[in-house]
Amino acid sequence: MPENTDAVDAGTTVDGTLTNEEEAWYTIDLDAEDTISVVFDSAFGDWTDQRVEISISDPDGAVLRFDGGARGRTPADRHRCDDNHGRYPRRGDRVSGGEISYSVLIDVADQDPYEPNNTRESATEIATGESVDSVVVGDEADWFAVDAVAGEGIELDLTAHDLALNRDIEMTLFDPDGNEIGEIPRDRPYGVYSTQAALDFNGLVDSAIGADVAEENGSYHIRVRGVDGSVRGFTAYTLIVETVELDQYDPNERRETATPLTPGETIEAIAVGYDHDWYRFDAEEGDVIMINYEVTQFTDLYDPEFTLYDPQGNVIHSDIAPPRTVTAATTGTYHLHIAQEDETTPAAFRNRLGYALTVRLNEEVPPPAGVAFTDQDSDGTRVVIDEVTVPESGFVAIYDKRLITGEDLVEGIRGVSPFLETGSHDQVAVTLADPITETQRLWALTHRDTNDTREFDFSATAGDEDEPYEGETTLVMDDACITIT
């Protein structure tokens, strides 16, 4: 080893340039059982003829690992020290084929207090809420076990430290019988179950989440390893496992464990992005089925999907809204499935939504929301709505612009009707708090009374309360030309 060898500390990245037959040497002090990782990166690609030789030697000069033909990024050299102590020289980068620029990351892993836990049988028992700091080396896997009660949500948080390319890690959740579980969003967004160090428009994602509902009491296992089974060198990480209460009806994740519903009875439940809620009820041929669904704990990141099955298991409705009415074609048990719709994100995956659900049979169906607003003369301070229907009580607001679902509807309100009871109303007069002075077109939009105050709170709550009624595709509204006389 040359006398001018450079001593480096753990976690150091060294940059340099090599020409033909030139060598670069680095040393690092290690203790017995330390794990060293050496990751070499260069500016050339696989299409060149350039080669580098990389090796790691022990304090006596014996080569522990040697790579005689590396191109571009090499697999990481990694070795666990097996003698007492010493300076481990890192012999680097004898070049053939010209000059190259390079960087070398020389890192040492912290001691792993949870080893040995490389198999499910040797899994380390951990407590919920405990912060587990560990490290994955090469192709090893770390296993942990945590107890959960049926009906609880099991939520996982994984954070990789000093993440780099080819050092991504992933986690997998297993039930007490050893089956892999874990509700994975269908579009598999970055940050769910695995890290993502790829340099793209998403940037580096060094944390990941996962979750599922425990369907039985017992010990659940979590495996942490490199993506595709291996990491380049090692990756240090922190794992936290939490168990959370859902609702009294969980676990009802499957058709076989569906919660029975009594027609006319209202239940209150909680939906989470990784949760599946199944319900069942009996109906006879010819019964008119009406499903009432109301949000009791709102989140703007959770979009439920409602799927109704007939007694033969056929889908008779699947949409982001429950069916208004369905006529039972056969006698038997019907099933309703409520879950996060296909497209989701890591944020929605863990969001909680409270809801109330009622199934009714053969009850009178309230008419849909509607409004009729025709051209008329006005002095600019008052307009008249020909007819308004509000299924669950509400108001009519007059706007001075055309309205589109999803836009900010708080602006542009000229006036609001008095409170309207459930049902249809004729000749509803609306005083314009902001009168008009020129002939123009106005729009009448129906609103709910969501908080039962009998006061129009849409503007005061920035649209959080008393939101508009919506039809199948658009807001329930009508427009008229108001001529000033």
Side-chain angles (χ1 to χ4, degrees):
M1 185 174 63
E3 294 182 358
N4 62 345
T5 299
D6 294 328
V8 297
D9 296 323
T12 299
T13 298
V14 180
D15 298 316
T17 302
L18 287 176
T19 57
N20 287 345
E21 302 305 317
E22 184 181 6
E23 295 181 342
W25 287 81
Y26 307 98
T27 63
I28 184 171
D29 290 331
L30 302 176
D31 293 326
E33 300 303 317
D34 277 352
T35 298
I36 180 174
S37 169
V38 179
V39 181
F40 176 89
D41 284 313
S42 69
F44 62 85
D46 290 346
W47 55 272
T48 71
D49 291 330
Q50 294 172 312
R51 299 288 191 278
V52 293
E53 294 178 354
I54 302 169
S55 62
I56 301 177
S57 305
D58 68 11
D60 297 324
V63 175
L64 303 178
R65 177 166 174 162
F66 181 81
D67 189 332
R71 293 177 168 210
R73 294 187 175 91
T74 73
D77 293 311
R78 54 186 179 272
H79 194 82
R80 192 179 296 276
C81 305
D82 55 7
D83 56 6
N84 293 330
H85 61 276
R87 286 174 77 81
Y88 274 62
R90 158 75 170 94
R91 176 190 173 216
D93 319 340
R94 178 189 295 274
V95 181
S96 64
E99 180 181 289
I100 64 168
S101 298
Y102 68 89
S103 66
V104 176
L105 169 63
I106 304 173
D107 207 357
V108 179
D110 292 333
Q111 294 294 325
D112 189 347
Y114 302 100
E115 291 287 352
N117 62 343
N118 296 334
T119 64
R120 184 170 180 269
E121 291 70 26
S122 61
T124 301
E125 296 280 348
I126 60 175
T128 57
E130 175 184 351
S131 182
V132 174
D133 293 306
S134 188
V135 60
V136 168
V137 180
D139 57 2
E140 76 165 347
D142 290 344
W143 286 81
F144 302 94
V146 64
D147 290 334
V149 176
E152 289 182 329
I154 304 174
E155 299 185 350
L156 317 174
D157 288 275
L158 179 69
T159 302
H161 305 299
D162 301 320
L163 188 62
L165 290 173
N166 299 321
R167 297 176 72 172
D168 284 304
I169 53 176
E170 64 182 4
M171 55 186 170
T172 310
L173 180 62
F174 298 86
D175 69 14
D177 298 322
N179 302 308
E180 180 179 340
I181 59 174
E183 183 58 29
I184 301 175
R186 294 181 176 88
D187 60 349
R188 194 66 184 256
Y190 291 145
V192 175
Y193 285 98
S194 64
T195 63
Q196 176 58 256
L199 300 179
D200 57 15
F201 64 93
N202 292 285
L204 183 146
V205 180
D206 59 3
S207 60
I209 61 174
D212 204 353
V213 178
E215 296 190 58
E216 58 181 309
N217 299 338
S219 183
Y220 287 76
H221 289 78
I222 302 95
R223 181 186 66 198
V224 179
R225 66 177 184 177
V227 171
D228 297 327
S230 181
V231 296
R232 194 177 183 197
F234 65 82
T235 300
Y237 65 88
T238 298
L239 173 69
I240 299 176
V241 183
E242 297 277 8
T243 54
V244 299
E245 292 187 3
L246 297 178
D247 60 48
Q248 60 180 316
Y249 308 107
D250 277 305
N252 56 352
E253 308 306 294
R254 308 174 189 277
R255 185 195 305 266
E256 296 76 20
T257 57
T259 299
L261 294 178
T262 301
E265 176 185 347
T266 299
I267 66 168
E268 293 194 2
I270 293 174
V272 191
Y274 56 84
D275 186 16
H276 288 256
D277 289 345
W278 282 86
Y279 300 96
R280 58 182 173 86
F281 59 91
D282 293 332
E284 296 183 358
E285 180 181 353
D287 281 347
V288 176
I289 303 169
M290 182 173 65
I291 299 175
N292 290 340
Y293 167 85
E294 180 181 353
V295 174
T296 58
Q297 179 185 334
F298 178 74
T299 172
D300 60 357
L301 294 175
Y302 186 95
D303 295 315
E305 184 175 66
F306 300 82
T307 306
L308 183 63
Y309 298 82
D310 68 13
Q312 288 73 43
N314 302 309
V315 175
I316 56 178
H317 174 88
S318 184
D319 202 347
I320 60 174
R324 183 169 179 79
T325 59
V326 171
T327 300
T330 57
T331 298
T333 300
Y334 289 73
H335 288 82
L336 176 66
H337 176 218
I338 303 176
Q340 173 73 282
E341 67 171 333
D342 289 0
E343 297 299 325
T344 189
T345 65
F349 185 55
R350 294 272 283 271
N351 263 31
R352 298 162 67 90
L353 176 80
Y355 66 91
L357 181 68
T358 310
V359 172
R360 304 183 187 279
L361 300 179
N362 301 318
E363 292 192 7
E364 183 178 350
V365 179
V371 59
F373 190 28
T374 57
D375 297 349
Q376 57 192 268
D377 295 337
S378 171
D379 64 358
T381 64
R382 179 176 179 272
V383 295
V384 177
I385 311 298
D386 298 83
E387 184 179 4
V388 181
T389 301
V390 282
E392 301 169 11
S393 75
F395 313 86
V396 175
I398 302 299
Y399 288 77
D400 60 10
K401 63 177 182 177
R402 181 173 178 81
L403 308 168
I404 300 174
T405 302
E407 73 171 345
D408 183 4
L409 305 179
V410 175
E411 300 295 330
I413 298 177
R414 291 280 185 163
V416 180
S417 73
F419 173 76
L420 302 173
E421 297 283 359
T422 298
S424 296
H425 306 264
D426 296 328
Q427 300 299 302
V428 177
V430 179
T431 299
L432 302 182
D434 185 8
I436 60 175
T437 58
E438 298 179 352
T439 296
Q440 67 179 81
R441 188 165 295 277
L442 296 178
W443 282 262
L445 176 65
T446 56
H447 283 257
R448 306 171 185 270
D449 180 26
T450 58
N451 51 9
D452 297 325
T453 63
R454 304 173 73 91
E455 298 289 338
F456 186 70
D457 299 318
F458 185 70
S459 300
T461 62
D464 289 339
E465 299 289 350
D466 298 347
E467 68 268 14
Y469 281 99
E470 294 189 28
E472 293 184 0
T473 58
T474 61
L475 299 169
V476 179
M477 61 182 174
D478 197 8
D479 63 294
C481 181
I482 310 302
T483 302
I484 299 298
T485 58

